[in-house]
Structure formats: structure tokens, C-alpha cells
Amino acid sequence: MSNKPLYRLVACVILTGFTIYVVTKILFTSFNQNLLPIWPAPKHITLVPSKDKPMFLSRSLDFKTTISSNIVNNAIKRYETFITYSNAIESDCNPQAVEIKTCLIVLLNDSEVLDLDTSYDYELIISSESGDATIVAGSPYAAIYGLETLSQLFFNDTCIPHSYIYIKDQPTYRHRGLLLDVGRRIAPKLLVFDILDSLSYLKMNVFHFHLSDYCRFSLQSEQFPQLTAGLERGQFYSKEDITDIVEYARLRGIRVIPEIELPGHAKGLQSLDGEDLEFCDNTYRQIYNDPEGKSLNTLKKLIAELVNLFPDQYIHMGSDETSTNEKCTIESVRLLEEEIAHFIISLGKTPIAWEEALFYTGMVRRLFFAHDCGVSFL
């Protein structure tokens, strides 16, 4: 009997343990250096320690804004609940402790446009001398990050041994994302909401929604209702569900980038075989670029539906793990990927693909020269 499975298990346990050790060390090193339980660790922190005049956050913290913003107003309602909950116990501060009663949010830009260039830069100033907290934010979404830092700062610790705190922070990367694959295992809408909340707490700004794969096409289609006809309600997303998810994400400063896997990983589209699509073989894993253009026309219709549901500039077209055979040659696969990418561009969107589109089929190189465009690294 082979010992390979046992070796793999041991290797997995060792790797998992090492990963936990490294992450824990990073977290506690960050906290010890900054003396503040904030994650991700801010870029810059200035502290003035004070045992005589510590600070605590009022349970009835009064929020004020310089500019009206639906995004900020919605965030204030959420964080009022967090702050009330985290300060539910009596303060253990000394009698000289200063109660922070007001939080002023200063918006430098009130634009609620959410894209790759959205500012998430903020400053947080808390002073026992004024008894106020001030958040200076580069956008309404940056204000959310400031509120998140404020809530973490006082969470489960009603007394902070400092008389002055200054935090200046901005993300290192413009794209900070998580991919959720619902093409294999569906995630109920309420679970998606919970995931989006978690991304917001971690100051992440992209939700990569992988909607199709071998197991299902998880998005209800008006033009091709047979894609979800065999699924029960709750095993796919209606257009109303998608609208709710995109809006829930937007209110937390998170962009939703959809992905439909094409032309490989296409078994979720098997119900379209024959009249609407052709496949490379009877495994239904990859779509065939038929000379009549039947497959391409169907894919264009699906992508057009997708674009109408997701406002983000970027549309992910998959293009990973494609294969070739006598029917589906490397040239036909590349041409199908190119046509899909050109169509996405014609809709005013920017296509994204996995690395195989660059290193295997070479579609990305040909697309680059065809459009005379630059390359944007997310």
C-alpha cells in the first residue's frame, strides 16, 4: 500500500501550521509595534500615552458630517450599532478619563463613483483635549475605512491609555479582492452578504464573483432560462438577487467583478448543447468555436445580459485551463477568446482573463496590438 496519501496529509498539516504561525506572528508584531489592535495595520500612527487622561468612546457617540452622503449616512447607521455593542459594559477608566462624544467626518471629495481609482485614503485624529474624533476622508468610501478603524480601536476595550491618537492610512494595492466560486458550490445570498461584511471589516474592495463552472451556471438568464431550469430556487441567483448583492457591496465600498468561464470550464452550459452551443467533445467541458458562429452568438447574448447587471468596468471572461483536440485546435480556441474579448470591449467594458490567455493561447498579446492599448496591472 502506498504511503503517498499519508505523506500528503503530514505535509498539509505542517504547511497549515507554518502558515498559522507566520500570520499570527505578523499580527502580534504589528499590534506590539503600533500598540493598537487595528488590522490591517495603518501606514502611520502617532500616539501620546497618558495614564492620567485616557480616553473612552461614548455609547451615544454623535456623528457629524461636513457634506451629505448616502454612503456615509448608511455607514454611520451600521457603525453606531457596532460602537454601542462594543461599549455595552461599564467603563473601567479612572475618573479623569475623557469621554469622546463627537465624531466629525470631513469629506474631501463627495463623489460616490466606485472604480479602480477610488480613494480610500483617510486620517483619524482622536484627542482628549477636544473630546472629539475627526475622520478626514478622500471619498465617502474612505470614510467607511476611518469608521472601521475607529470601531476596531475601541472594540471590547472601553479605555484607551492615550491622550492623543493620529492615524494616516491608505491602501498599498488598488485591487484588494476575494474570489467566491459559486459555479461549483452555491452560496446563499445571505451568506454572500456576510462575506461582503467581512471584506469591509478587512478593508478589501473587490468581490470577484465566479458565476459559472463545471457544476452550474448560477445566474438566471432571460434569454436562456434552461440554464437554471433544473435548479431549485436558492441554487442560483435571480436578477433581483444580483441587484441586491451589487448594492450591498457598493454601500461598503466594494466593487463586484463578475466572471463567466469561457471557453473552458463550461459544463454548466451543457443545457444549451445543440441548438445554441457546440462543445469540443462529449465531456461538455469546453465550447467549440463552430464555423457558423452559433456558439459565439450565444456567448455574446449571455455576456450582454451580464454587463447589464454589473456596473463595474471589468468583466472576467475566464479563459483558463483550455485544451485542444482534433476539433478544437489552438487557433480556434484563441479566435473564440479574441472574439469574446473584442465584444466585451465593444460594450465599453474591459475584459480580464486568467494567465493562460497570455501564456497558452496568446490571446492577450494579439488583443494588445489590435487595440493599441496599455496594460493595467491590478
Side-chain angles (χ1 to χ4, degrees):
M1 181 176 176
S2 174
N3 289 323
K4 285 185 179 179
L6 178 61
Y7 294 152
R8 289 172 180 169
L9 176 61
V10 172
C12 183
V13 170
I14 293 173
L15 181 60
T16 302
F18 178 73
T19 302
I20 293 173
Y21 167 77
V22 170
V23 171
T24 304
K25 188 171 181 64
I26 291 172
L27 282 169
F28 280 97
T29 299
S30 172
F31 290 167
N32 289 336
Q33 288 175 347
N34 296 322
L35 302 178
L36 296 176
I38 301 171
W39 189 256
K43 288 288 190 295
H44 174 82
I45 296 177
T46 299
L47 302 173
V48 177
S50 175
K51 294 183 179 179
D52 299 327
K53 263 197 168 184
M55 301 181 288
F56 68 97
L57 210 56
S58 172
R59 296 185 196 174
S60 55
L61 186 65
D62 181 27
F63 290 92
K64 297 179 180 179
T65 59
T66 56
I67 300 175
S68 179
S69 165
N70 291 331
I71 295 293
V72 174
N73 292 339
N74 188 283
I76 287 173
K77 290 180 182 178
R78 297 198 306 274
Y79 282 96
E80 279 178 335
T81 303
F82 297 158
I83 290 168
T84 300
Y85 171 78
S86 64
N87 291 302
I89 59 176
E90 291 295 327
S91 172
D92 57 355
C93 289
N94 66 45
Q96 279 72 44
V98 176
E99 181 179 13
I100 303 301
K101 299 180 179 180
T102 303
C103 178
L104 174 64
I105 299 175
V106 180
L107 289 183
L108 302 181
N109 185 340
D110 63 351
S111 172
E112 296 185 356
V113 173
L114 191 58
D115 59 24
L116 191 62
D117 296 319
T118 295
S119 170
Y120 293 89
D121 301 4
Y122 72 92
E123 296 176 53
L124 173 62
I125 306 101
I126 310 172
S127 170
S128 62
E129 184 175 342
S130 64
D132 298 330
T134 301
I135 296 171
V136 181
S139 74
Y141 306 107
I144 298 175
Y145 282 23
L147 288 168
E148 176 60 33
T149 296
L150 180 66
S151 71
Q152 290 183 14
L153 190 60
F154 288 93
F155 187 77
N156 280 346
D157 189 0
T158 57
C159 194
I160 299 294
H162 303 286
S163 62
Y164 178 83
I165 298 174
Y166 172 74
I167 294 172
K168 185 174 183 179
D169 197 18
Q170 69 272 346
T172 300
Y173 304 103
R174 294 192 297 169
H175 183 115
R176 306 174 301 282
L178 174 80
L179 183 151
L180 180 66
D181 183 352
V182 295
R184 290 181 173 90
R185 185 182 296 275
I186 199 70
K189 185 170 73 169
L190 293 180
L191 175 58
V192 175
F193 287 169
D194 288 342
I195 292 170
L196 291 170
D197 282 332
S198 298
L199 293 180
S200 177
Y201 304 152
L202 294 171
K203 301 186 176 80
M204 298 176 77
N205 70 330
V206 176
F207 179 58
H208 182 159
F209 211 7
H210 185 95
L211 291 164
S212 68
D213 215 289
Y214 291 139
C215 298
R216 64 169 54 80
F217 187 87
S218 60
L219 177 62
Q220 189 177 35
S221 169
E222 289 182 356
Q223 297 198 60
F224 304 101
Q226 61 268 47
L227 285 171
T228 53
L231 301 175
E232 297 179 3
R233 186 71 178 94
Q235 295 182 335
F236 62 89
Y237 303 103
S238 67
K239 293 197 171 185
E240 291 74 21
D241 291 334
I242 296 298
T243 299
D244 292 344
I245 289 169
V246 170
E247 178 62 9
Y248 196 92
R250 186 186 73 88
L251 291 173
R252 287 152 182 78
I254 299 169
R255 298 161 46 216
V256 181
I257 296 180
E259 177 183 356
I260 295 181
E261 275 278 15
L262 301 169
H265 288 258
K267 199 171 182 179
L269 299 172
Q270 181 180 347
S271 60
L272 301 183
D273 180 42
E275 185 177 343
D276 300 302
L277 280 180
E278 286 195 35
F279 290 84
C280 294
D281 54 39
N282 58 8
T283 66
Y284 303 103
R285 292 185 174 184
Q286 188 167 313
I287 297 167
Y288 171 51
N289 185 18
D290 62 288
E292 295 77 20
K294 178 171 59 177
S295 293
L296 179 60
N297 289 334
T298 296
L299 297 179
K300 285 182 176 181
K301 291 176 183 178
L302 280 174
I303 292 169
E305 278 196 87
L306 189 77
V307 166
N308 289 331
L309 288 173
F310 293 92
D312 198 79
Q313 177 62 33
Y314 292 89
I315 302 293
H316 206 301
M317 55 181 281
S319 302
D320 64 316
E321 298 181 344
T322 53
S323 59
T324 59
N325 58 25
E326 187 176 344
K327 184 178 180 180
C328 287
T329 64
I330 187 68
E331 183 64 21
S332 72
V333 174
R334 178 170 58 242
L335 288 175
L336 182 57
E337 290 179 350
E338 285 182 19
E339 289 291 346
I340 293 169
H342 285 305
F343 181 68
I344 292 173
I345 292 171
S346 74
L347 296 175
K349 300 290 186 177
T350 303
I352 304 177
W354 293 110
E355 69 273 13
E356 286 92 332
L358 174 63
F359 298 114
Y360 182 59
T361 64
M363 179 273 291
V364 171
R365 292 192 297 272
R366 290 166 60 123
L367 192 71
F368 176 86
F369 290 111
H371 289 270
D372 191 26
C373 56
V375 177
S376 177
F377 294 95
L378 303 183

